[in-house]
Amino acid sequence: MGGQMAFAQQDSLRTQNVEEVVVVAFGTQKREAIVGSVATVDKKTIESQQATSVLSALQGTVAGVNVISTGGMPGDNPSIYIRGISSINASTQPLIIVDGSPYGGNINSIPQDQVESMSVLKDASATALYGSRAANGVIIITTKKGRTNQKPRVSITSLAGVSTNAVPFHEVMGSEDFMRYTWQALRNNEIVNGGKSAAEAAQFATNNLITRLGYNPYNVNNPIDANGNVVNGATLLWDTDWEKELINNAAFKQEHRFSLTGGSENTTYFVGADYLDMYGNVKTSKFERIGFRGNVESKVNNWLKVGLNTSFTSSSQNYPTQSGSSYQSAIQWIYTMPSIYPLHMRDENGNLILDNFGNPQYDYGNNASSGRRVNAQREILNNENAVGALYNYKIRYNRYDVFTNGFAEVSFTDYLKLRSQGSFQLYTYDSYDYDHYLYGNAASVGGRVSQGRDLAKTINWTNSLTFDKSFGEHNVNAQAIFELMDYRYDALSAQGTGYLPEVFVLNGSTLPEGVGGYINQERLVGYLGRAAYNYGRKYFVEGSVRTDGSTRFSPETRWGTFFSVGGAWVVSQENFFQNNVMNYLKLKSSYGELGNNATTSYFPYLAVYNTGWNNLDQTGIILGGARDYFLTWEKTASFNAGAEMGFFNNRITADVDYFNKESIDLIYAKPLPGSTGNTSITTNVGALRNYGWEVNLNTLNVDTEKFSWRSNLNVTFEKNEITELTQESFINGTKRWEVGRSLFDFFLVEWAGVDPQTGMGTWYYDKENADGTVTREVTSNYNLANVESSKRYLGSSLPKFRGGFTNNFRIANFEINSLFNFAFGSYVYDSSYAALMSGFASIGRQQHVDVKNAWQQPGDITDVPMNIVSNNQNASTSSRFLFENDYIRLKALTIGYNVNRDLIDVMGLSNMKIFLQGDNLWTWQSHKGIDPEQGISGTTDSRSYNLKTVSLGVNVGF
């Protein structure tokens, strides 16, 4: 426990035993019998990372799985893509199964310490039994259980640590530089657009700098002289470090875990508790969780086995804005607000303005009515203060998750059994938002409280009849399964304005603003069968068929049938396979068709009406969106072919898989002319293809009594292609989607650099000549280049390859385990950097230190255009801000020491380990200033950065 790591990917680790049992769909299989692609991650790997969401442990550990962390907010779940994105508008996230039942809550409700293993089902042969929900892959989470004939064992782990940003922010200007270069930009504008001489423009900039900025951080009226330098005697009255004010560089973390396991001859049990308290890198951000779990199984007699798994988790997030362009967003604020603007209100002389209690007041830049000439009104992010928002606003998310899963298994004979399993989950999500009555965006209405309380109830019932028998060398396994799922989502929301001081509840509103609520309900029925046969553990064949009915579709299209077939040949079992190098070889292949019913609406085939369009006292309704009554399942055809190999008595093992996933009849919002009354209709149209290679290599490098060293390397090569669209092409943000290209190919205006004579930006465009030929030319007119015919495909946000590299060392009583993850070949469009490189086009906005390299005079050769306070398009969307996004990251490092047996025996313990854990300790990246783990689209969104966390812990058992 706590600080141990095994092979990152156990799906090809056959060094010890090919008889290993793996959790798969609706049961288990011996590894050698698996004809598809299944990866497993064990508890030691999971516990080696400090993950508030257990799914984060998949990053860099499983080939073919792309895990993208969402930032520095503890408790947020990563986005997970298994073998690419199989849909455009429908869900692209995998199905989560917990202890055999679909999981409908938030995955951060499951403490990592309570998880025994995770299986990732990647191809159709592995996932087809889940049919309509398996197009994006399946992740099976198995929680811990006790063992028979085991005395009670208690394990306690406690750890504490601190977190900070994993990588530095973009470097922005300090107050002195900001003032001097703003002066320069004002001067340049007067020369270029005002017709003034250099001397006249310089004096104009000196005289008008403070007026334009609205604030003066210096103790003199005109702090910058006509040469662009700080005048003698001028000193800063304040120099606000917004990063220091907003970012927590020592975010505290503590976690405490308890478990009790054991079992008698017929009954096993596991009881676990976990408490986590962790702060994020944006100040006041916090995640707190307490979880309890009890699992018990009992063999009642020789034909009946029963079990019950139950858990309760309560969590709370204090959630200041973590991304986006809103004024409250901490990262957006740091990249927009320069340090010349004060944290607290100042008078004309720069002195603090205190409230009636003698306390400083946050400056919201909206005090024009005060009559002050300076230090009252700013043009940017007016009526907000991001630091004030952290402490004056309240944004809280509370979650309560009850999950109960029980089964009864009847064995009719030693080869025929019936298992009935039911699960019930009640997930409560309570969101709360308070905006201050006196400051910020709701001050004009006296403050606002918005609250929502959503209940998600999931009932799942599965009956499976299993036949498993051998006839000599012939081995047959077959299953017949019936599954029923009922999901109900009950949402309630309310909002009110007009609040008195220190009143934060809805009932304190003097003006109720709105109330809302709705119910979404979904049912799914499935009938499925699987049959597997192998001869002599040498030749394996398997097939499955599933028919699903979903209430998301009309009665005419409700039912879908999905299937898979697969086979494997253990070549090394053949008599002719005898050599001293390769001792194990298994070839496998599978094909299947899966479904996706995860529409954005629960009733997309219905024509609905919207209320609230009243005319005076007459009730008014309007027709909702356009509908396709015959909307039906997305379908994904998945092919997999691979080989599993062992060399030198399995000192080296390797897996290689080729996969090809083709999704057709995409559930897609087809564009419509606005004149029809709707801009889109959800229908089945379009097709996608994801294909590539996965390579997984395990090595036992050294294995002695005192020292051992194991390694794992996994690499994924993945490509995406649009194979069908409703039209030839269309622009989607920074991409153009067209047949033959990828969803992730950037399509941009091509930057041509800075004109050495004018200092302004230039771009490439296609010029049509009189003879009809087209030549590539350079223009300073961005609008001329910003047309589809002149744009170019310039890289992809999808890496050419990604993966992980794990090393596990044992040196006497020490264990050292490390995990690196990496990605190469992708590009990122850094809109944060673009905004910081505007060259003062909008006065008062923060700038990157790179604007110091701006063009100064004719003949200068530089990549940075002139600094000038005027409307221009130098920072407009183009390849100027498209960067390679290669990175290598030390994702996890654990150093553990197992205390000597003679010492722990004296203390009455069975084991004791002291360990040091670190996450995201080191990052190399080709483009600095952003966290390299950006969204799949490859565009930044001012989101908080991933955390670098170092913790010290101890684990004791008795």
Side-chain angles (χ1 to χ4, degrees):
M1 221 177 148
Q4 296 178 326
M5 181 183 288
F7 273 111
Q9 191 173 353
Q10 298 288 328
D11 54 326
S12 57
L13 183 58
R14 292 172 298 274
T15 305
Q16 299 298 323
N17 192 353
V18 295
E19 296 283 338
E20 178 188 356
V21 175
V22 177
V23 178
V24 295
F26 298 102
T28 59
Q29 275 187 304
K30 292 180 180 178
R31 182 167 297 283
E32 67 172 2
I34 296 175
V35 300
S37 183
V38 179
T40 62
V41 179
D42 70 7
K43 63 181 179 182
K44 293 181 180 180
T45 302
I46 296 168
E47 292 169 359
S48 70
Q49 300 182 37
Q50 305 177 75
T52 55
S53 174
V54 68
L55 297 183
S56 298
L58 298 174
Q59 186 174 28
T61 64
V62 177
V65 179
N66 190 7
V67 179
I68 299 176
S69 299
T70 52
M73 180 65 216
D76 277 0
N77 293 311
S79 297
I80 298 180
Y81 307 96
I82 298 177
R83 290 185 168 179
I85 287 186
S86 301
S87 183
I88 294 177
N89 289 136
S91 173
T92 58
Q93 296 300 289
L95 173 67
I96 307 296
I97 303 293
V98 177
D99 290 331
S101 296
Y103 189 76
N106 193 305
I107 201 67
N108 69 14
S109 296
I110 303 176
Q112 67 185 76
D113 185 57
Q114 297 177 8
V115 175
E116 180 72 21
S117 68
M118 290 189 289
S119 294
V120 182
L121 315 185
K122 296 184 283 188
D123 75 320
S125 176
T127 63
L129 281 183
Y130 293 109
S132 60
R133 296 165 290 173
N136 301 309
V138 180
I139 298 174
I140 300 177
I141 297 174
T142 303
T143 60
K144 292 181 178 178
K145 297 175 176 59
R147 296 182 180 179
T148 56
N149 300 313
Q150 181 189 69
K151 293 181 179 180
R153 298 183 62 180
V154 172
S155 179
I156 299 174
T157 300
S158 186
L159 61 101
V162 293
S163 303
T164 185
N165 281 342
V167 295
F169 288 123
H170 282 300
E171 188 177 356
V172 297
M173 282 191 166
S175 291
E176 182 176 327
D177 280 341
F178 186 85
M179 296 292 285
R180 292 195 302 111
Y181 283 94
T182 302
W183 175 93
Q184 181 189 99
L186 276 171
R187 181 203 61 184
N188 288 344
N189 182 57
E190 294 305 310
I191 294 173
V192 174
N193 297 316
K196 293 183 174 66
S197 67
E200 292 172 331
Q203 192 61 51
F204 177 91
T206 295
N207 296 339
N208 289 275
L209 177 63
I210 299 303
T211 302
R212 293 296 307 274
L213 290 173
Y215 282 66
N216 183 7
Y218 284 90
N219 62 337
V220 296
N221 291 335
N222 291 321
I224 307 298
D225 64 22
N227 295 314
N229 298 315
V230 177
V231 301
N232 291 331
T235 59
L236 285 167
L237 300 174
W238 68 83
D239 188 8
T240 310
D241 187 341
W242 292 110
E243 181 179 335
K244 180 180 178 181
E245 298 293 343
L246 290 163
I247 301 302
N248 190 351
N249 285 315
F252 178 70
K253 170 190 177 176
Q254 61 174 324
E255 186 169 10
H256 310 285
R257 309 163 182 165
F258 167 86
S259 68
L260 170 66
T261 59
S264 63
E265 183 179 354
N266 296 315
T267 301
T268 65
Y269 57 87
F270 169 87
V271 178
D274 181 280
Y275 173 75
L276 171 67
D277 183 25
M278 185 173 184
Y279 291 82
N281 54 7
V282 176
K283 286 186 177 180
T284 75
S285 62
K286 179 184 178 181
F287 178 68
E288 186 176 20
R289 179 189 66 206
I290 184 167
F292 301 93
R293 179 175 298 278
N295 295 343
V296 61
E297 290 187 6
S298 182
K299 186 177 181 182
V300 179
N301 50 44
N302 60 0
W303 59 267
L304 178 61
K305 182 179 181 181
V306 296
L308 179 68
N309 299 341
T310 184
S311 65
F312 170 75
T313 305
S314 172
S315 68
S316 178
Q317 279 181 306
N318 192 57
Y319 206 106
T321 306
Q322 299 287 308
S323 63
S325 58
S326 73
Y327 288 6
Q328 300 87 25
S329 172
I331 311 304
Q332 175 76 11
W333 188 274
I334 291 169
Y335 287 158
T336 304
M337 190 64 63
S339 55
I340 68 159
Y341 293 110
L343 174 64
H344 297 111
M345 292 175 61
R346 304 274 179 161
D347 64 19
E348 284 189 300
N349 297 318
N351 301 310
L352 286 170
I353 301 175
L354 306 180
D355 64 16
N356 294 334
F357 299 97
N359 299 314
Q361 304 174 80
Y362 291 118
D363 183 82
Y364 283 80
N366 63 342
N367 217 349
S369 60
S370 66
R372 295 198 302 273
R373 184 178 63 86
V374 295
N375 302 337
Q377 189 79 19
R378 49 176 151 82
E379 294 183 14
I380 61 168
L381 306 189
N382 182 267
N383 196 35
E384 193 53 273
N385 184 305
V387 180
L390 292 181
Y391 300 101
N392 288 332
Y393 299 169
K394 301 178 187 295
I395 305 176
R396 184 189 68 234
Y397 301 147
N398 290 333
R399 299 178 175 91
Y400 309 95
D401 194 348
V402 177
F403 185 67
T404 300
N405 184 357
F407 75 89
E409 185 176 281
V410 177
S411 297
F412 299 108
T413 67
D414 60 350
Y415 57 84
L416 184 65
K417 62 183 179 182
L418 174 67
R419 181 184 178 102
S420 183
Q421 177 168 319
S423 67
F424 171 84
Q425 181 169 22
L426 182 61
Y427 173 66
T428 304
Y429 175 64
D430 184 358
S431 62
Y432 173 84
D433 189 336
Y434 167 76
D435 296 331
H436 201 273
Y437 75 99
L438 191 59
Y439 306 111
N441 58 56
S444 61
V445 293
R448 175 180 286 112
V449 167
S450 304
Q451 190 166 4
R453 188 161 296 158
D454 305 336
L455 301 176
K457 182 178 70 175
T458 306
I459 298 174
N460 202 87
W461 185 38
T462 304
N463 290 295
S464 59
L465 183 67
T466 302
F467 175 88
D468 191 355
K469 189 171 179 61
S470 298
F471 305 91
E473 293 292 306
H474 303 276
N475 306 288
V476 178
N477 178 277
Q479 281 183 299
I481 302 171
F482 168 76
E483 184 179 25
L484 173 67
M485 188 272 288
D486 188 321
Y487 176 79
R488 179 186 174 95
Y489 190 87
D490 192 340
L492 178 66
S493 62
Q495 191 167 279
T497 60
Y499 281 84
L500 298 174
E502 302 303 313
V503 177
F504 308 110
V505 295
L506 279 168
N507 199 44
S509 168
T510 59
L511 182 63
E513 197 172 34
V515 63
Y518 60 88
I519 294 175
N520 283 328
Q521 190 161 9
E522 174 187 12
R523 289 191 177 96
L524 183 77
V525 176
Y527 304 91
L528 54 149
R530 171 172 62 186
Y533 166 82
N534 79 78
Y535 176 76
R537 298 174 57 188
K538 186 187 307 182
Y539 310 108
F540 297 84
V541 179
E542 184 176 313
S544 66
V545 177
R546 173 165 180 148
T547 297
D548 276 351
S550 170
T551 55
R552 288 179 181 249
F553 304 118
S554 68
E556 283 78 1
T557 61
R558 181 157 294 166
W559 293 91
T561 299
F562 314 97
F563 71 93
S564 73
V565 292
W569 175 26
V570 182
V571 183
S572 52
Q573 291 277 27
E574 301 288 357
N575 293 330
F576 64 78
F577 193 90
Q578 299 292 332
N579 63 79
N580 296 323
V581 178
M582 180 183 289
N583 60 280
Y584 184 85
L585 175 61
K586 174 183 171 182
L587 304 177
K588 60 184 180 181
S589 184
S590 66
Y591 174 83
E593 295 183 1
L594 309 168
N596 190 346
N597 69 335
T599 55
T600 55
S601 165
Y602 283 82
F603 315 103
Y605 66 94
L606 293 178
V608 297
Y609 296 87
N610 297 327
T611 59
W613 299 84
N614 299 345
N615 184 8
L616 299 179
D617 61 345
Q618 300 298 310
T619 300
I621 61 174
I622 62 172
L623 183 65
R627 58 105 184 210
D628 177 4
Y629 184 76
F630 295 101
L631 178 74
T632 189
W633 307 85
E634 276 189 4
K635 301 177 184 66
T636 297
S638 179
F639 171 77
N640 187 87
E644 301 175 9
M645 295 162 282
F647 301 90
F648 307 112
N649 197 28
N650 286 333
R651 291 292 293 261
I652 301 174
T653 63
D655 288 359
V656 179
D657 280 280
Y658 171 79
F659 65 90
N660 184 70
K661 292 171 58 178
E662 296 190 58
S663 302
I664 62 172
D665 294 335
L666 298 182
I667 297 174
Y668 175 65
K670 178 182 177 180
L672 294 176
S675 58
T676 64
N678 294 279
T679 57
S680 67
I681 179 173
T682 301
T683 187
N684 294 108
V685 67
L688 286 174
R689 179 186 178 215
N690 293 278
Y691 60 101
W693 292 85
E694 298 169 1
V695 179
N696 190 76
L697 179 68
N698 290 290
T699 60
L700 176 57
N701 306 309
V702 180
D703 189 20
T704 67
E705 183 179 351
K706 296 290 186 180
F707 177 66
S708 68
W709 172 23
R710 297 175 182 268
S711 299
N712 168 268
L713 173 67
N714 67 83
V715 184
T716 301
F717 303 85
E718 183 180 289
K719 292 185 177 181
N720 172 270
E721 181 185 359
I722 301 169
T723 56
E724 180 187 330
L725 278 178
T726 59
Q727 57 200 73
E728 182 178 347
S729 66
F730 64 91
I731 299 291
N732 182 51
T734 57
K735 317 294 189 300
R736 182 171 76 171
W737 290 351
E738 66 172 289
V739 173
R741 305 295 308 197
S742 167
L743 292 173
F744 310 106
D745 289 346
F746 286 100
F747 188 70
L748 300 169
V749 174
E750 188 176 5
W751 173 251
V754 176
D755 187 328
Q757 299 307 310
T758 66
M760 300 302 285
T762 62
W763 302 267
Y764 289 104
Y765 79 106
D766 288 345
K767 179 182 178 182
E768 186 173 352
N769 301 308
D771 60 359
T773 60
V774 176
T775 56
R776 194 73 167 158
E777 305 288 346
V778 174
T779 180
S780 59
N781 183 351
Y782 177 81
N783 293 329
L784 185 62
N786 189 28
V787 295
E788 277 198 60
S789 60
S790 291
K791 292 182 180 180
R792 290 292 183 270
Y793 285 105
L794 299 166
S796 171
S797 60
L798 193 67
K800 291 182 178 177
F801 65 92
R802 64 176 186 276
F805 180 50
T806 303
N807 284 281
N808 305 284
F809 300 93
R810 179 183 53 80
I811 308 170
N813 287 2
F814 285 92
E815 296 176 1
I816 303 174
N817 309 302
S818 65
L819 166 63
F820 291 85
N821 68 301
F822 54 84
F824 286 85
S826 70
Y827 284 79
V828 62
Y829 186 85
D830 191 350
S831 56
S832 298
Y833 183 69
L836 288 168
M837 293 299 292
S838 64
F840 303 92
S842 178
I843 196 166
R845 298 184 73 89
Q846 181 60 287
Q847 300 292 301
H848 197 281
V849 294
D850 286 352
V851 302
K852 295 180 182 181
N853 301 320
W855 181 94
Q856 298 290 331
Q857 59 187 3
D860 283 355
I861 303 299
T862 177
D863 288 332
V864 183
M866 172 198 304
N867 293 323
I868 183 169
V869 178
S870 70
N871 291 328
N872 64 74
Q873 295 174 309
N874 290 334
S876 296
T877 304
S878 75
S879 62
R880 179 186 176 194
F881 305 109
L882 186 68
F883 300 96
E884 293 182 353
N885 193 33
D886 303 334
Y887 76 91
I888 304 171
R889 171 164 278 172
L890 178 53
K891 184 67 178 176
L893 175 67
T894 300
I895 301 173
Y897 174 73
N898 294 292
V899 179
N900 285 333
R901 173 63 59 182
D902 54 353
L903 258 171
I904 62 175
D905 285 344
V906 171
M907 293 185 286
L909 302 176
S910 60
N911 67 277
M912 181 176 183
K913 173 181 281 188
I914 302 169
F915 60 91
L916 183 70
Q917 281 185 313
D919 286 1
N920 302 324
L921 293 179
W922 171 81
T923 303
W924 173 87
Q925 56 190 128
S926 58
H927 175 58
K928 300 186 183 303
I930 64 169
D931 195 295
E933 296 183 45
Q934 294 293 319
I936 193 72
S937 65
T939 54
T940 61
D941 189 31
S942 295
R943 75 176 196 185
S944 58
Y945 289 28
N946 282 316
L947 295 174
K948 177 194 298 183
T949 303
V950 179
S951 298
L952 180 65
V954 61
N955 165 247
V956 295
F958 50 89

